[in-house]
Amino acid sequence: MKNVIIIGAGKGGSALLKLFEKIDKMKIEAVIDHDQSAPGIQIAHSLGIPTDRQWEKWMKEDIDIIFEATGTEAVFEALMEKKPSKCVVVPGSVAYITSALLEEKERLLKELKHQSDKQELILNNIHDGMVVVDPDEVITFMNRSAEKILDVEREAVYNSGIASLIPDSRLGHVMKTRVKEINQELSLNNGKKIITTRIPIIGKEGEIQGAFAVFKDITEVVHLAEELTDIKEVKKMLEAIIQSSDEAISVVDEKGNGLMINPAYTRITELKEKDVIGKPASTDISEGESMHMKVLETRRPVRGVRMRVGPSKKDVLVNVAPVIVDGRIKGSVGVLHDVSEIQKLTVELKRARQLIRNLEAKYTFSDIVASSDEMKLALEQARVGAKTPATVLLRGESGTGKELFAHAIHNESKRKHNKFLRINCASMTPTQLESELFGYEEGAYPGVKHGTKKGLFEEAHQGSVFIDEIGDLPLHVQTKLLRLLQEGEVVRIGGTKPIHVDVRIIAATHQNLERAIVNGTFREDLYYRLNRLPIFIPPLRESTEDIDQLIYHLVNRLNQDYGRHVTTISQDALQYLKDYHWPGNVRELENIIGRAMIFMSMNDTIIQKEHLPHLEKENRLEELIYFTPKGDSLPVMVEQFERQMIKDTMKKLKGNKSETARQLGISLRNLYYKMEKLEIDM
């Protein structure tokens, strides 16, 4: 930290003050000027920085840099004579240069923003829809017309894959071939048809920067009404379509008298042809005005008008378009939508979207903090692994972020637009685990007489499955998993027919799998299949360089959750956390920071040491010195050591098995297994 004094609070001094106030490694001790109304003095007051008229008394040995911003040679020479021995005096010309650069920067930023706003205004006001994607086919821009045509909110689909919005989009193909596609017809999920032109975006160096589509909204009925030259021909050509359509359609002539309806119209309104044909357009309306008559008067289409029709006063949405031939109005065509049906479909769509969100991987590599060399290596290995189809084995202690890596690997892979399912082997019984992973056939279990169930591997076809705590996978399930990895097939419980699946396995464990192989609890052949791409995620105690960045990352997120305004952590509090051994790793760090922020005052912005809970120092190594196992062979001594460690830890924790498993770094299920094997009765 450098201690700084600024002498001169005019234009140059103000520029320096604004610049250095944002730099953490510079502390402004004082701003000095004879004129206490100078702009820099006012800024210093607002920031709580001391000010003065005289600079002589500030010539202290702890001052590192003096910025002379008055531009007066005499002041500069006096400062050079009286400055502390190790202090550096910077002349006033630097201040003026800095001020000019800052003003130029502000001018350029304003000009850039103006150009950007102008461009967005133009794109948002054109009638055609426009969607832009980046090289990964992720939506980066959508104008208002596209928002209306696609029936979505722009903010909801930004940073989403174009395939999730328009499955048949060919923007990826356009980028690959670098050939634009002009005036192509496409049907959307919402029932609309569009005419679209797709164009690749190629940079100056010939690199693909993305692609965009420009499209117009067309509907079959409106298209026919505008293109056909006679109302009788319209009737003939539309009759078959209208009669078989699920859309409720009505057609009137230029005087507003009923000309044609279809069965779907009768189903919604309960009105038959004899009630409508030849009658005024207002005949079917219970509440509201006739949109047919309005369109005939204005010659303009209307959309989304709500009204009630028929004797049952059915609530509907109406779209009506004029039929114009050679500039003359010949009638109009109306389409009715049952509002209750729309509401039902909306509910189902929301439910489907929620299900899709639950099946998505939430995190990317940008969510992983990596400052230490160990963590950077793990991150680089994960990025490489994401680009290959190889099975990934994530190894590391509990709480190091293995699931975060799994999410990121899936999101960086070619499978990112497909399902990401996860399961924890330590949280289920062997029967439940096998059922969840492989599914079952009808009659596979007592009481399961009807129906079948797909397993996770089938559900995640062409996606990824994250298997956490794979070291707890029972041996018979390991055999079935090995077959999947070798043959790409699964067989449901109670079934005989192999089912082909294309799924990427991402496994994780905190256990020593090599020791499990020796103990006979883990298959060696499965180990070699899983261990194609091992990634070791270091514990927090071995990557303390990450703690600073992790804390700021957690504080920013927890500020939003707790409604706080914490900005930083004090140095003594930070050092206190770095000295801790972190048995719970990042998960424990998040817990401690969260607890500290909860109990801080609402006005506190800095986490102090007193805000942190008491953290016990590591003493397990000292305790182990007093235990020396005795036996004829290594396996016997290992069992003695495990038995003693489990008993001592449980005694220390007063029989709390969950906490015992956590401190020993094993799953609760594994603890029960060891207690039974080692005959520990507590």
Side-chain angles (χ1 to χ4, degrees):
M1 179 71 73
K2 298 295 184 182
N3 296 326
V4 175
I5 289 178
I6 298 175
I7 299 177
K11 186 176 181 181
S14 299
L16 290 172
L17 178 56
K18 291 177 182 177
L19 177 64
F20 297 147
E21 189 273 328
K22 298 177 182 178
I23 300 176
D24 293 337
K25 293 185 178 180
M26 285 194 175
K27 180 183 178 184
I28 302 174
E29 294 289 339
V31 178
I32 299 167
D33 198 301
H34 287 296
D35 182 4
Q36 288 295 292
S37 63
I41 296 295
Q42 305 306 314
I43 296 172
H45 286 161
S46 68
L47 297 174
I49 298 172
T51 63
D52 207 330
R53 297 176 183 273
Q54 304 295 329
W55 53 264
E56 285 81 2
K57 66 180 182 180
W58 290 91
M59 297 295 103
K60 304 174 184 177
E61 289 299 325
D62 61 345
I63 299 301
D64 299 301
I65 306 173
I66 299 173
F67 284 90
E68 191 284 305
T70 66
T72 304
E73 186 67 27
V75 174
F76 180 76
E77 291 176 357
L79 286 171
M80 290 298 295
E81 181 180 345
K82 296 185 179 182
K83 72 177 182 67
S85 57
K86 296 181 179 180
C87 180
V88 175
V89 180
V90 180
S93 58
V94 173
Y96 292 105
I97 293 172
T98 302
S99 174
L101 289 174
L102 285 174
E103 286 182 354
E104 179 64 13
K105 173 188 172 184
E106 292 296 328
R107 186 188 67 77
L108 291 173
L109 285 174
K110 287 180 180 178
E111 183 177 341
L112 180 62
K113 185 177 186 304
H114 174 72
Q115 293 294 334
S116 177
D117 291 345
K118 184 177 179 181
Q119 181 184 31
E120 186 168 353
L121 181 64
I122 294 171
L123 293 176
N124 275 324
N125 282 280
I126 63 175
H127 182 70
D128 292 349
M130 175 180 281
V131 174
V132 183
V133 301
D134 65 14
D136 294 324
E137 299 183 44
V138 173
I139 298 171
T140 58
F141 176 78
M142 176 186 294
N143 70 355
R144 291 197 186 101
S145 295
E147 191 176 34
K148 293 177 182 177
I149 295 171
L150 298 171
D151 293 331
V152 297
E153 294 183 4
R154 288 180 289 178
E155 290 74 12
V157 298
Y158 278 166
N159 300 319
S160 300
I162 187 67
S164 64
L165 182 62
I166 308 175
D168 297 330
S169 168
R170 288 172 54 83
L171 288 176
H173 178 75
V174 166
M175 287 189 282
K176 185 176 180 180
T177 62
R178 296 174 176 244
V179 177
K180 61 184 177 182
E181 298 179 350
I182 301 174
N183 294 336
Q184 302 294 307
E185 187 171 328
L186 178 66
S187 296
L188 301 176
N189 288 341
N190 59 9
K192 296 178 182 178
K193 287 189 175 182
I194 60 173
I195 295 295
T196 179
T197 295
R198 311 177 186 101
I199 301 175
I201 302 173
I202 302 174
K204 293 181 180 179
E205 304 297 328
E207 76 282 5
I208 287 293
Q209 297 181 347
F212 69 93
V214 180
F215 45 92
K216 295 179 181 292
D217 181 18
I218 61 171
T219 63
E220 193 170 63
V221 175
V222 174
H223 174 71
L224 290 172
E226 292 176 346
E227 295 294 326
L228 296 178
T229 59
D230 189 270
I231 195 69
K232 291 181 179 180
E233 290 185 27
V234 172
K235 183 177 179 181
K236 289 178 182 178
M237 296 186 67
L238 289 178
E239 212 164 48
I241 299 172
I242 290 174
Q243 294 301 321
S244 61
S245 174
D246 289 334
E247 300 283 355
I249 300 172
S250 68
V251 183
V252 302
D253 61 20
E254 66 271 22
K255 296 180 180 179
N257 295 321
L259 198 62
M260 184 189 303
I261 61 171
N262 68 347
Y265 176 90
T266 299
R267 187 179 66 251
I268 291 178
T269 65
E270 300 178 7
L271 297 172
K272 299 179 181 179
E273 288 188 351
K274 65 179 183 178
D275 303 318
V276 177
I277 304 302
K279 304 286 181 66
S282 58
T283 300
D284 59 353
I285 299 173
S286 301
E287 295 179 13
E289 63 175 312
S290 171
M291 290 299 104
H292 277 300
M293 299 307 298
K294 184 173 183 179
V295 167
L296 293 173
E297 291 173 8
T298 63
R299 300 167 63 94
R300 294 181 179 179
V302 295
R303 297 183 183 277
V305 177
R306 197 161 181 171
M307 61 176 60
R308 294 185 182 274
V309 297
S312 298
K313 298 184 177 180
K314 183 65 67 83
D315 194 3
V316 296
L317 284 175
V318 179
N319 296 332
V320 182
V323 179
I324 300 175
V325 180
D326 294 331
R328 296 180 60 188
I329 190 82
K330 289 294 185 179
S332 60
V333 180
V335 180
L336 282 69
H337 299 281
D338 188 345
V339 171
S340 60
E341 185 67 21
I342 294 173
Q343 290 173 338
K344 179 182 176 182
L345 292 174
T346 301
V347 170
E348 291 179 358
L349 179 60
K350 287 182 178 178
R351 188 182 298 115
R353 285 176 174 170
Q354 183 62 44
L355 178 61
I356 291 170
R357 280 196 294 270
N358 292 337
L359 296 177
E360 290 176 345
K362 295 183 286 187
Y363 307 108
T364 64
F365 284 120
S366 62
D367 294 307
I368 299 175
V369 173
S371 298
S372 65
D373 293 339
E374 295 84 354
M375 201 63 174
K376 287 178 179 178
L377 175 61
L379 193 60
E380 185 60 32
Q381 290 175 328
R383 289 185 186 277
V384 172
K387 300 298 183 184
T388 71
T391 300
V392 176
L393 179 60
L394 300 169
R395 307 190 66 169
E397 298 178 5
S398 295
T400 51
K402 296 188 288 295
E403 183 166 349
L404 194 68
F405 269 77
H407 283 252
I409 289 170
H410 173 80
N411 271 331
E412 193 82 2
S413 72
K414 294 180 179 179
R415 301 173 182 265
K416 63 184 177 182
H417 297 306
N418 297 312
K419 291 182 181 179
F420 175 79
L421 303 181
R422 45 200 182 274
I423 191 169
N424 189 307
C425 299
S427 64
M428 296 184 181
T429 65
T431 302
Q432 290 175 326
L433 192 57
E434 184 179 9
S435 171
E436 285 295 316
L437 286 173
F438 297 96
Y440 55 77
E441 295 287 355
E442 184 174 311
Y445 297 112
V448 183
K449 297 181 180 179
H450 302 287
T452 61
K453 177 182 182 297
K454 286 185 178 181
L456 260 62
F457 294 126
E458 287 183 71
E459 292 284 356
H461 182 63
Q462 296 187 334
S464 304
V465 173
F466 173 50
I467 307 177
D468 199 6
E469 301 299 351
I470 198 166
D472 289 322
L473 200 64
L475 282 169
H476 72 283
V477 184
Q478 292 180 31
T479 303
K480 299 187 74 169
L481 177 59
L482 181 61
R483 176 175 180 173
L484 168 64
L485 293 172
Q486 290 176 333
E487 309 295 337
E489 295 178 346
V490 295
V491 178
R492 294 177 185 168
I493 300 172
T496 57
K497 180 182 177 182
I499 301 169
H500 174 73
V501 292
D502 173 18
V503 66
R504 202 251 185 93
I505 304 296
I506 304 172
T509 184
H510 73 278
Q511 297 185 30
N512 187 324
L513 294 183
E514 293 78 10
R515 183 183 299 168
I517 293 171
V518 174
N519 293 339
T521 60
F522 202 83
R523 292 182 61 114
E524 186 173 5
D525 46 5
L526 177 60
Y527 168 79
Y528 289 121
R529 277 282 178 178
L530 293 172
N531 206 41
R532 294 283 175 84
L533 182 57
I535 298 174
F536 292 86
I537 304 174
L540 193 54
R541 63 180 174 276
E542 294 179 8
S543 56
T544 54
E545 297 167 50
D546 295 322
I547 290 179
D548 305 52
Q549 196 173 343
L550 276 169
I551 289 174
Y552 286 106
H553 177 77
L554 292 170
V555 164
N556 288 334
R557 180 163 61 79
L558 293 173
N559 272 335
Q560 298 176 8
D561 294 344
Y562 299 157
R564 301 295 180 124
H565 303 284
V566 178
T567 57
T568 187
I569 183 171
S570 67
Q571 285 300 314
D572 58 338
L574 180 61
Q575 191 59 48
Y576 180 63
L577 294 178
K578 286 187 174 182
D579 292 340
Y580 183 51
H581 59 281
W582 297 109
N585 292 296
V586 180
R587 190 180 293 119
E588 185 180 7
L589 175 62
E590 181 178 7
N591 176 271
I592 287 172
I593 296 299
R595 287 166 60 190
M597 290 177 65
I598 288 171
F599 291 106
M600 289 171 65
S601 168
M602 290 299 292
N603 296 324
D604 289 338
T605 59
I606 301 175
I607 300 175
Q608 303 290 350
K609 184 177 179 181
E610 56 265 25
H611 294 139
L612 301 172
H614 175 67
L615 304 176
E616 292 185 3
K617 300 296 182 180
E618 176 65 75
N619 58 6
R620 185 174 299 169
L621 184 60
E622 297 175 1
E623 294 174 359
L624 296 182
I625 296 173
Y626 296 100
F627 175 73
T628 305
K630 299 178 181 179
D632 316 7
S633 63
L634 180 60
V636 173
M637 288 190 288
V638 169
E639 285 190 358
Q640 290 179 5
F641 179 77
E642 285 190 338
R643 183 184 294 107
Q644 187 64 40
M645 279 296 298
I646 292 172
K647 291 175 70 174
D648 288 350
T649 306
M650 288 188 66
K651 183 178 180 181
K652 176 182 175 183
L653 298 172
K654 299 179 181 180
N656 187 325
K657 294 183 178 63
S658 297
E659 185 62 21
T660 298
R662 192 189 71 79
Q663 286 210 11
L664 292 175
I666 60 177
S667 68
L668 184 59
R669 187 163 163 265
N670 200 9
L671 175 63
Y672 279 111
Y673 166 77
K674 289 182 179 292
M675 289 175 64
E676 182 179 353
K677 177 184 175 183
L678 300 173
E679 299 179 350
I680 300 173
D681 184 17
M682 295 186 72

